[in-house]
Amino acid sequence: MDPRTFCAQSRLIVVAGKGGVGKTTVTAAMARMAAGLGLSVLIVEVEGKTGLAAAFGAEDLEYDERELAPGIRARSLTPDVALLEYLDEHGLGRISKRLVKAGLVEVVSTAAPGIKDILILGKVKQLERAGAADLILLDAPAAGHAVSFLMSPRGLREIIRGGPLRSQSEEVLDMLTDPARCRVMLVTLAEETPVNEVVETAFALEDRVGVDLGPVVVNGLYPVLDGLETAPGTDVAPDLAAALAAAGQFRARRQELQQAQVARLAADLPLPQLHLPTLFSVDLVPRHIDELASALAAAIEALPARTEVA
Amino acid sequence: MAVGDLVGDRAILVCCGPGGVGKTTVAAALAVDGARRGRRTVVVTIDPAKRLADALGLGSLTDTPRRIEGDWPGELWALMLDPRSTFDGLVARYAPDPGQAETILANRFYRNIAGALSGTQEYMAMEKLFELHNDERFDLVVVDTPPTRNALDFIDAPRRLSRLLDNRLFRLLMLPARTGLRAVNIATTAFVRTIGKVVGSEVVSDAVTFFQAFEGMEDGFRRRAQGVLDLLADPCTAFVLVTSPRRDAARETEFFAEKLGEAGIGVEALIVNRMHPRFAPAGVGPGEGPLHRNLADLERLADGEEAHVAGLSRRVGAPAVCVPELDTDVHDLAGLARVATYVFASAD
């Protein structure tokens, strides 16, 4: 599939996955790829301190939008500020500061779980409706929480029978369940527990939220190297030969385990996969983002063109 | 202090750190070691993925301690935290009569608290720890904690509920019940109505009912929270930070150690799980072909990880104990034994 077509399928992409699988890295690579195609991109971060800004060599994000790189803007949404803005827009600006200061968010979100989430999703919906960018990437909370995060509008519809928050929930739900407006891209590693969790999350999101799922990103794969089983040449010192052989064995074993998990994921979850390589690095710098953006584009190009669903 | 000494001497070990680093596995390995040292050990996990049960080779865990038989002189017990029933137990303890307890337990606002108030799970973990510490059947409690996205949630947890009960907004909501003064009533009603307009009036009336039912119980909760905090700061408790050498995990761990420090709690052990092994300590040397390329890749990664861990250890103020990436998932006692050989290596 043409990456341009891929990006045009919905304005909003929610990137979700278990902690530590590289959700933020994938968000950054996706943004870079889209910006490279000439699209304007807005990244929305909701948990704070994800390291997204650092990956672009920038300072931590704030509520107000900032440019991270050419064509890529980003902002961090918090429930408190989103609530202030919401109250303001609903003619309650006069008392809003006082309410928020008195801990309204904590009180209300205890009374009706999910209100924090709906405040954030409501803001995202507003950005989506306003066409704030060609592509909006939402770096979602970690896996288990991603389900309750996206479930919040459904849950709130049960609790709240009227008023602005109810209509807000309905509008957010409309966006989440419309494949032309929103998709979820799940990220995982080719390891036992992350694969189990991503399968579970995928089914929960589809059944309980009714959101459209894009391809699953399998991150951190060892690029398959052939010839790892061959013996090191005889001209190599014995110590180094032993190291080469042991490292080769380790790599071959890891590759094998990863391929087995990739196959299991394919069997358990009928979604196309996008494979991203490990970078053999503990740090994430702009150069890595570029490399991953190219890998992502190549993986998308290898996808079959999407068949129309009646 | 070596991890082995902590397991031998202390009464409470709190394992904390970011998600996805193998915290549950490490907690289980520490507990098994406790039993090996002849201690009557109980390990409590919070993880909804039931990984501890897996790691111990059990099908399932409940929230009452269950004994695990094994070839050790001590005892090993395990349980899974159920925040709801722990919270219910607290309410029953502090309610002046069973009728009031029942009113609270049936309230919708209360039922939401267990799942929604940020930090409730952490608070109940601490509460459970307090309970088990005072249980005469055990002399070592190992707690596996929820992944700590926000370090403050964790340390703050016991204080959070009392703060919620002290909240000015709640005071306002409760005023009608307290005073019955007409003037106050009107002002409050207007205030409540405004909130109700936004969030729906049922939500507000649930909250008001809850706080009215809670009257008089705040003190008990506040004292209990203080007891838990004192226990966390007590020398019989050791905090063990578990992390991985990955960039984001290391950053979160550091932030957490900092917050613990601010709360007057020191980190006594740092366990770094899933390190990539090092193959060529003497250096890679020149060479072509896949074998050389692979060795160079892995060594570069090991260099990066070691540098990260050294920095982390220095900033956290505890030596790092490293556990290498194993080639299979740990899901039985044999796997735990493998982890343990690395965790306790420095003690021998």
Side-chain angles (χ1 to χ4, degrees):
Chain A
M1 180 187 290
D2 178 24
R4 209 175 289 274
T5 314
F6 182 84
C7 290
Q9 280 172 345
S10 66
R11 191 185 299 277
L12 175 64
I13 296 182
V14 181
V15 184
K18 180 180 154 64
V21 298
K23 203 163 42 76
T24 300
T25 311
V26 170
T27 306
M30 187 74 199
R32 177 66 97 194
M33 184 194 85
L37 296 169
L39 300 173
S40 65
V41 183
L42 175 65
I43 303 176
V44 176
E45 184 187 79
V46 295
E47 280 195 327
K49 288 197 180 284
T50 60
L52 179 85
F56 287 97
E59 302 263 298
D60 276 352
L61 297 178
E62 281 160 24
Y63 190 80
D64 289 324
E65 199 174 289
R66 183 140 43 88
E67 182 166 87
L68 284 184
I72 304 174
R73 291 167 294 140
R75 61 189 297 174
S76 174
L77 293 185
T78 61
D80 281 37
V81 191
L83 176 64
L84 273 177
E85 215 179 273
Y86 177 85
L87 290 173
D88 230 20
E89 283 162 13
H90 287 78
L92 295 165
R94 216 160 37 83
I95 61 155
S96 64
K97 282 230 164 49
R98 195 174 134 220
L99 287 174
V100 170
K101 221 172 158 190
L104 179 70
V105 174
E106 184 152 35
V107 173
V108 167
S109 61
T110 304
I115 282 192
K116 275 188 189 178
D117 298 335
I118 206 72
L119 287 169
I120 289 181
L121 284 170
K123 181 69 198 172
V124 172
K125 182 216 68 190
Q126 197 188 55
L127 292 168
E128 186 260 353
R129 283 282 82 165
D134 296 328
L135 185 66
I136 301 174
L137 297 171
L138 174 63
D139 190 352
H145 189 192
V147 178
S148 53
F149 178 67
L150 296 173
M151 272 286 287
S152 60
R154 253 188 222 291
L156 281 177
R157 234 180 21 169
E158 309 292 312
I159 304 178
I160 304 175
R161 269 151 256 169
L165 266 191
R166 160 131 194 157
S167 36
Q168 177 90 313
S169 301
E170 276 166 359
E171 285 166 29
V172 168
L173 195 59
D174 283 347
M175 171 183 76
L176 292 179
T177 53
D178 184 349
R181 293 172 67 191
C182 168
R183 275 172 295 171
V184 172
M185 239 166 81
L186 291 165
V187 184
T188 188
L189 296 174
E191 289 171 21
E192 196 166 323
T193 315
V195 166
N196 292 346
E197 287 190 24
V198 82
V199 172
E200 219 171 275
T201 307
F203 282 105
L205 286 176
E206 206 166 59
D207 297 347
R208 286 158 58 196
V209 185
V211 68
D212 188 49
L213 296 174
V216 184
V217 179
V218 185
N219 192 23
L221 286 170
Y222 284 105
V224 173
L225 267 184
D226 290 322
L228 289 172
E229 323 283 2
T230 54
T234 47
D235 54 333
V236 175
D239 277 2
L240 183 55
L244 287 168
Q249 243 168 30
F250 176 85
R251 172 77 168 264
R253 175 81 183 124
R254 301 299 312 178
Q255 279 177 193
E256 205 179 289
L257 282 171
Q258 286 191 335
Q259 293 311 315
Q261 293 301 335
V262 164
R264 192 165 71 87
L265 178 63
D268 291 354
L269 193 62
L271 287 174
Q273 297 179 3
L274 299 173
H275 293 178
L276 289 183
T278 176
L279 297 169
F280 295 103
S281 165
V282 282
D283 295 304
L284 188 64
V285 296
R287 177 173 56 83
H288 294 140
I289 304 294
D290 291 345
E291 269 177 57
L292 289 174
S294 314
L296 196 57
I300 290 172
E301 269 160 25
L303 289 179
R306 191 173 175 132
T307 43
E308 284 301 315
V309 184
Chain B
M1 193 184 273
V3 182
D5 295 337
L6 295 177
V7 175
D9 296 347
R10 303 302 176 89
I12 296 173
L13 299 178
V14 183
C15 296
C16 37
V21 298
K23 212 167 5 142
T24 310
T25 308
V26 169
L30 295 181
V32 170
D33 190 65
R36 290 227 169 86
R37 287 169 193 263
R39 307 197 74 190
R40 294 172 303 153
T41 310
V42 59
V43 53
V44 41
T45 183
I46 329 284
D47 202 287
K50 299 185 172 49
R51 278 203 301 256
L52 179 67
D54 289 350
L56 294 169
L58 291 173
S60 65
L61 282 176
T62 62
D63 70 329
T64 30
R66 183 166 150 191
R67 179 137 184 208
I68 295 155
E69 298 301 334
D71 182 20
W72 39 63
E75 291 174 15
L76 178 61
W77 298 72
L79 70 137
M80 173 118 77
L81 180 77
D82 175 358
R84 248 318 275 292
S85 66
T86 306
F87 210 151
D88 288 357
L90 268 185
V91 169
R93 180 192 300 263
Y94 290 111
D97 60 79
Q100 189 176 352
E102 217 167 284
T103 311
I104 293 175
L105 296 183
N107 181 273
R108 186 155 59 166
F109 186 89
Y110 168 75
R111 293 207 308 273
N112 288 337
I113 280 190
L117 176 62
S118 60
T120 301
Q121 211 186 25
E122 284 86 347
Y123 176 31
M124 290 306 130
M126 295 299 108
E127 173 57 33
K128 200 66 182 179
L129 176 155
F130 193 76
E131 211 178 288
L132 293 169
H133 176 65
N134 293 318
D135 189 324
E136 288 184 349
R137 287 177 293 170
F138 312 117
D139 43 35
L140 172 63
V141 186
V142 181
V143 214
D144 163 37
T145 61
T148 310
R149 183 70 228 182
N150 182 354
L152 287 170
D153 263 12
F154 185 82
I155 314 163
D156 243 21
R159 252 187 298 244
R160 196 173 281 250
L161 188 76
S162 20
R163 203 163 56 218
L164 184 72
L165 296 174
D166 286 337
N167 193 295
R168 278 193 294 154
L169 209 57
F170 285 140
R171 296 269 158 235
L172 277 173
L173 292 178
M174 284 166 69
L175 273 174
R178 285 209 168 152
T179 64
L181 288 176
R182 200 178 145 71
V184 174
N185 236 332
I186 290 166
T188 312
T189 312
F191 189 69
V192 168
R193 205 182 291 133
T194 309
I195 303 172
K197 247 193 247 164
V198 182
V199 302
S201 53
E202 304 89 356
V203 170
V204 175
S205 65
D206 280 343
V208 172
T209 316
F210 171 78
F211 282 96
Q212 287 169 353
F214 227 83
E215 271 277 36
M217 286 169 61
E218 304 102 298
D219 264 359
F221 268 84
R222 207 172 291 125
R223 274 200 305 274
R224 184 77 167 190
Q226 194 53 51
V228 174
L229 282 172
D230 292 344
L231 184 59
L232 291 183
D234 193 278
C236 77
T237 303
F239 274 77
V240 176
L241 269 185
V242 185
T243 189
S244 82
R246 316 288 186 275
R247 174 185 48 89
D248 41 352
R251 189 179 41 221
E252 241 180 85
T253 305
E254 209 169 291
F255 178 67
F256 186 54
E258 211 173 280
K259 293 293 162 193
L260 279 176
E262 283 167 18
I265 297 168
V267 172
E268 304 204 42
L270 173 66
I271 297 176
V272 185
N273 199 13
R274 311 195 60 181
M275 291 282 286
H276 276 86
R278 191 176 265 299
F279 297 98
V284 178
E288 296 287 316
L291 278 178
H292 284 275
R293 202 180 124 199
N294 174 52
L295 185 62
D297 281 346
L298 291 175
E299 290 304 301
R300 183 157 45 87
L301 187 55
D303 286 344
E305 289 185 353
E306 280 171 19
H308 255 248
V309 170
L312 184 62
S313 166
R314 199 173 50 241
R315 287 187 290 267
V316 165
V321 175
C322 296
V323 179
E325 172 107 54
L326 300 178
D327 50 13
T328 52
D329 261 22
V330 174
H331 47 65
D332 54 14
L333 288 173
L336 287 180
R338 268 183 87 190
V339 172
T341 52
Y342 296 104
V343 172
F344 302 109
S346 55
D348 299 327

